[in-house]
Structures are given as structure tokens and as C-alpha cells.
Amino acid sequence: MADSETVFDAKLTTFQQWQTTPWGRLRYSIAAANLTPHLHHASRVLDVAGGNGLDAIELAARGHHVTIVDISEPALADARALAAKQGVGDRISTQRLGVDELARHFAHDQFDVVLCHNLIQYVPDPRTLIAVLAAMVAPNGVVSVIAPNADADPLLTAVRDLDLEEALRQLDSSTRHTVTYDTETRACYADSVIDDLAEAGLHLRARCGIRSVCDLLVDDTRKDDPMFFAQLERLELAMSTRAPYSYTARFFQLVAGPAR
């Protein structure tokens, strides 16, 4: 865990800067919109690898009670500060834990919602992690998984970078490079994660996309214009639950729960 702690701690400022960009803001607003239909009143939420808490704070603002776990204490400290600033500190708690410690700290059926956002590409065994998370979710609850969509990478590389050789390589590559953390990660495919969810006893309730259009637009400066961004966000929200756009979006979001 030490190496991961060092990477995530060192890159916290870079990650915070990314969160303020138009593409960072879209990641959070669309994820929240995709999850909203599956929430109940005053849910108990576990945000695994929740970092500085932007997903959690949005849920807390809506009346839910969120426990954030992460290996980075600086990120958790930032989450507590942000929650206090937003007036939701009483609905946020934090624990510094690695994913291998989750099963020892939380009970079966303890949470109504379990978030696993932007994590599975970093762990050595996503299938085991998903099984652990599935055990923690209540019978009427849901698990939300977000990961970079490896199916989108060749398209984005060809269109944005005009790097056709790299796009061709990515079609069969099992790894990806993350710019924010400057490290190699697993290439994640939604169909494979859906299989892992099913094996853990979770039935898929929604397959959504995040950023179907934004990353294909080469003019990043235009995205800073408030009017253009508002139009872009409306379009992204409309596309997020519609095939085929959800299949080629920059991230996939899968919402699944125990079979009813």
C-alpha cells in the first residue's frame, strides 16, 4: 500500500485541479444524475476510495449519510474540510483504510449504497473487491462502479491525438496510462465488470456512460464558456443512459443490486 499512498498523496493537488476542469465537473454531475434514480431517502452510503469526497458531499447535501474510506489521509482531510465548508460535516465520516481491510471493518448488509468510483483499474483483483462490496450492500441497495472505458480509448486517441498507430495498439492492450497519476493501470471493460457483478450476486440495473461527447471535442477552451458548458452538460446527461453513446463514453458507470 505504501507505494500507492505515495502516488495518491503526491498527486492530490493535480487531482484537485482536474476536478475543477469542465471534464472533471462533468464526471461528478453526470455520475450523480445516473445514481439518483436508484437512491432511497437518507441512505447509508460507503464511498470506497472516495478521495476528497466530491461524490460523498453531493450525496450528503441530499440528506444521505456517507462514510468515505481511502488510503490517503491528505485526501480525507480535504474531504472533511470541504464537508464542513458545505455544511454537511455531520453527515460525513472518514476512515483511512485500504481495500484489503474493508471486509474486517464493515458488516454484511451494512450499507444501502456502495460507491466504487475510479478504483477497479488500480486494484490487482477487481473480482474479489466486487465480491467484498456486494456483501456489504443491503438487499434493497445498490453498488455503483465507475471506471475508464477502455473501449473508448482507441477512438479518442485517433480523433483527438491523430495517433492511429497508438489507437491500433490500444485495441489489444491490457493496460492504459493515466495522465493524472502518471502510472499504468488495467484496461477496464464494462462487459467484464458486469460479469464480475453477476458472479457476486448483483443484478445490473443500469449501464450508463459519462462524457460521451466532451472528450471528442478538441477545442478545450470552448468548454470553459459557461453557456457552452451548460449546453454540453445537458447533451451529456441526455446521452448518458442511451445506447450506443453509453458504450463509447469516456467512463462507464454500472449500477447493480442484489437480485429481487
Side-chain angles (χ1 to χ4, degrees):
M1 188 196 301
D3 290 344
S4 295
E5 289 174 14
T6 301
V7 170
F8 292 119
D9 290 351
K11 295 291 186 177
L12 178 57
T13 299
T14 303
F15 181 62
Q16 292 166 326
Q17 291 169 346
W18 173 85
Q19 289 175 319
T20 67
T21 64
W23 37 96
R25 290 156 56 199
L26 287 171
R27 145 65 181 89
Y28 288 97
S29 66
I30 298 168
N34 290 340
L35 185 61
T36 294
H38 307 280
L39 299 176
H40 303 291
H41 177 69
S43 293
R44 302 161 298 165
V45 182
L46 177 65
D47 188 358
V48 180
N52 63 340
L54 293 202
D55 283 317
I57 289 168
E58 172 65 24
L59 290 170
R62 300 184 185 191
H64 305 292
H65 298 267
V66 189
T67 300
I68 306 171
V69 299
D70 201 276
I71 59 173
S72 172
E73 180 53 37
L76 292 175
D78 193 39
R80 293 190 293 270
L82 290 170
K85 184 178 180 180
Q86 296 295 322
V88 295
D90 60 330
R91 291 194 289 275
I92 295 275
S93 64
T94 65
Q95 292 194 43
R96 184 172 176 269
L97 295 172
V99 294
D100 56 336
E101 301 173 280
L102 294 172
R104 298 195 299 271
H105 281 79
F106 300 110
H108 283 204
D109 303 341
Q110 184 173 344
F111 297 98
D112 303 302
V113 181
V114 176
L115 307 183
C116 181
H117 291 177
N118 210 38
L119 170 63
I120 62 170
Q121 67 268 32
Y122 296 105
V123 301
D125 187 358
R127 182 178 300 177
T128 296
L129 171 61
I130 287 172
V132 169
L133 302 183
M136 297 176 186
V137 72
N140 292 323
V142 293
V143 174
S144 172
V145 179
I146 293 176
N149 179 14
D151 282 322
D153 290 318
L155 177 63
L156 294 173
T157 299
V159 172
R160 282 192 63 98
D161 302 334
L162 300 178
D163 190 342
L164 304 187
E165 287 299 322
E166 175 61 13
L168 187 63
R169 187 195 69 81
Q170 287 176 337
L171 286 173
D172 297 310
S173 175
S174 62
T175 63
R176 294 291 189 267
H177 184 79
T178 173
V179 174
T180 302
Y181 295 111
D182 190 24
T183 188
E184 295 298 305
T185 65
R186 175 182 294 99
C188 296
Y189 295 91
D191 288 341
S192 176
V193 180
I194 290 170
D195 289 342
D196 292 342
L197 291 166
E199 185 173 311
L202 300 176
H203 174 72
L204 186 68
R205 298 187 185 174
R207 176 175 180 167
C208 309
I210 296 175
R211 297 199 333 234
S212 300
V213 173
C214 176
D215 295 62
L216 292 170
L217 300 177
V218 178
D219 187 353
D220 288 335
T221 302
R222 186 82 180 273
K223 300 167 194 175
D224 286 315
D225 175 78
M227 184 176 296
F228 184 85
F229 179 82
Q231 293 173 331
L232 176 60
E233 186 173 41
R234 286 197 298 272
L235 178 60
E236 293 282 12
L237 288 168
M239 287 181 163
S240 65
T241 56
R242 301 189 192 189
Y245 313 110
S246 57
Y247 289 76
T248 57
R250 180 66 187 90
F251 296 89
F252 61 78
Q253 182 173 10
L254 307 173
V255 181
R260 294 170 175 171

